[in-house]
Amino acid sequence: EAGVVQSPRYKIIEKKQPVAFWCNPISGHNTLYWYLQNLGQGPELLIRYENEEAVDDSQLPKDRFSAERLKGVDSTLKIQPAELGDSAVYLCASSRRSGGDEQFFGPGTRLTVL
Amino acid sequence: AQSVTQLDSHVSVSEGTPVLLRCNYSSSYSPSLFWYVQHPNKGLQLLLKYTSAATLVKGINGFEAEFKKSETSFHLTKPSAHMSDAAEYFCVVSEGYGGSQGNLIFGKGTKLSVKP
């Protein structure tokens, strides 16, 4: 079975520009996660979706970050406007359900903000 | 709140020698614990998980970990390191209650280097 797909793999933008990341989870996985991984750190959860509903977005900086999963399948994470401190790897993961099922991770999108 | 502490940011071993990556956890509940591995430019991969069954958990690629409640530890071991084991390893605890149940909390990672 195909794994979690993310695009683009790399993105370089100027500060104050918008940027979007796309994620297609494993087929049949109802739960989708977006994580932020800073250099030398472990991933930190940004948002969790159960189907199309964002059930945990407590760690998402809502002033500049937004996410959607309109049909309960693929998802987009957006930053507008980007700041220098947003340079990081953005990881997407999916699982059949939440509550302890194994999460499968995509390769991530490495964002560089100049 | 749950948390994990990885005691070493970098571990270096010679090929063929044992590997020990240390992790302590903090949890008010009986935790679910995981080890993930991240190779450069690849996605995180689950090595093994503990969910209150056997305290000695066997994973992929010859890795295993032992859950020790008295020491609040979940150290990762492998009897003999291989060059392909060089990667970043993350100890992870799963949130156990409420709306965050199932959310993963990662440690800061341990970079494993394997010398020929």
Side-chain angles (χ1 to χ4, degrees), chain A residues 2-9 22-26 29 32-35 37 43 89-95 103-110, chain B residues 36-46:
Chain A
V4 176
V5 178
Q6 291 188 248
S7 68
R9 292 292 311 277
W22 177 80
C23 172
N24 192 36
I26 293 173
H29 282 195
L32 184 146
Y33 311 78
W34 283 102
Y35 289 86
Q37 185 175 18
V89 177
Y90 292 83
L91 297 168
C92 180
S94 70
S95 63
Q103 294 185 26
F104 294 83
F105 285 80
T109 297
R110 182 177 297 277
Chain B
Y36 277 82
V37 62
Q38 188 174 39
H39 287 93
N41 298 315
K42 291 189 177 181
L44 285 153
Q45 181 182 19
L46 179 67

Side-chain angles (χ1 to χ4, degrees), chain A residues 9-10 33 35 37 40-43 45 48 56 91 98-100 102-103 105-107, chain B residues 34 36 38 41-44 46 49 90 94 99-104 106-109:
Chain A
R9 292 292 311 277
Y10 304 90
Y33 311 78
Y35 289 86
Q37 185 175 18
Q41 303 292 319
L45 181 70
R48 183 177 100 233
D56 187 349
L91 297 168
S98 61
E102 178 181 352
Q103 294 185 26
F105 285 80
Chain B
F34 310 78
Y36 277 82
Q38 188 174 39
N41 298 315
K42 291 189 177 181
L44 285 153
L46 179 67
K49 66 177 181 180
F90 293 95
S94 177
S100 298
Q101 185 177 15
N103 288 352
L104 300 182
F106 285 75
K108 292 186 175 182

Side-chain angles (χ1 to χ4, degrees), chain B residues 13-14 16-21 39 47-48 59-65 75-86 89 112 114:
Chain B
V13 301
S14 297
T17 64
V19 175
L20 170 64
L21 305 183
H39 287 93
L47 275 178
L48 50 81
I60 62 172
N61 300 334
F63 284 94
E64 61 183 36
H75 301 335
L76 181 70
T77 60
K78 183 174 181 178
S80 177
H82 191 273
M83 295 297 292
S84 61
D85 295 327
Y89 291 79
L112 175 65
V114 182

Side-chain angles (χ1 to χ4, degrees), chain B residues 6 8 11-12 26 29 32-33 38 40 43 48-49 53 58 62 74 81 84 90 94 101-102 108 110 115:
Chain B
Q6 293 184 245
D8 306 291
V11 170
S12 181
S26 173
Y29 298 81
S32 292
L33 292 161
Q38 188 174 39
L48 50 81
K49 66 177 181 180
K58 294 188 183 298
F74 190 58
S84 61
F90 293 95
S94 177
Q101 185 177 15
K108 292 186 175 182
T110 298
K115 298 174 290 186

Side-chain angles (χ1 to χ4, degrees), chain A residues 5-98:
Chain A
V5 178
Q6 291 188 248
S7 68
R9 292 292 311 277
Y10 304 90
K11 188 74 176 180
I12 301 174
I13 61 172
E14 300 279 338
K15 63 181 181 182
K16 301 185 181 180
Q17 294 300 306
V19 64
F21 314 122
W22 177 80
C23 172
N24 192 36
I26 293 173
S27 178
H29 282 195
N30 295 325
T31 308
L32 184 146
Y33 311 78
W34 283 102
Y35 289 86
L36 165 69
Q37 185 175 18
N38 286 305
L39 186 65
Q41 303 292 319
E44 299 173 18
L45 181 70
L46 288 172
I47 189 168
R48 183 177 100 233
Y49 281 93
E50 299 288 347
N51 299 304
E52 66 275 9
E53 182 183 0
V55 296
D56 187 349
D57 62 356
S58 57
Q59 301 304 311
L60 189 72
K62 298 180 183 63
D63 56 337
R64 298 184 300 107
F65 286 66
S66 64
E68 61 183 16
R69 193 186 185 199
L70 294 176
K71 296 182 179 179
V73 181
D74 57 343
S75 176
T76 302
L77 177 69
K78 298 178 181 178
I79 308 175
Q80 183 171 9
E83 298 179 351
L84 295 176
D86 296 331
S87 295
V89 177
Y90 292 83
L91 297 168
C92 180
S94 70
S95 63
R96 291 193 182 277
R97 303 163 304 175
S98 61

Side-chain angles (χ1 to χ4, degrees), chain B residues 63-75:
Chain B
F63 284 94
E64 61 183 36
E66 186 171 8
F67 174 74
K68 292 187 176 180
K69 186 175 181 178
S70 61
E71 299 177 8
T72 61
S73 69
F74 190 58
H75 301 335

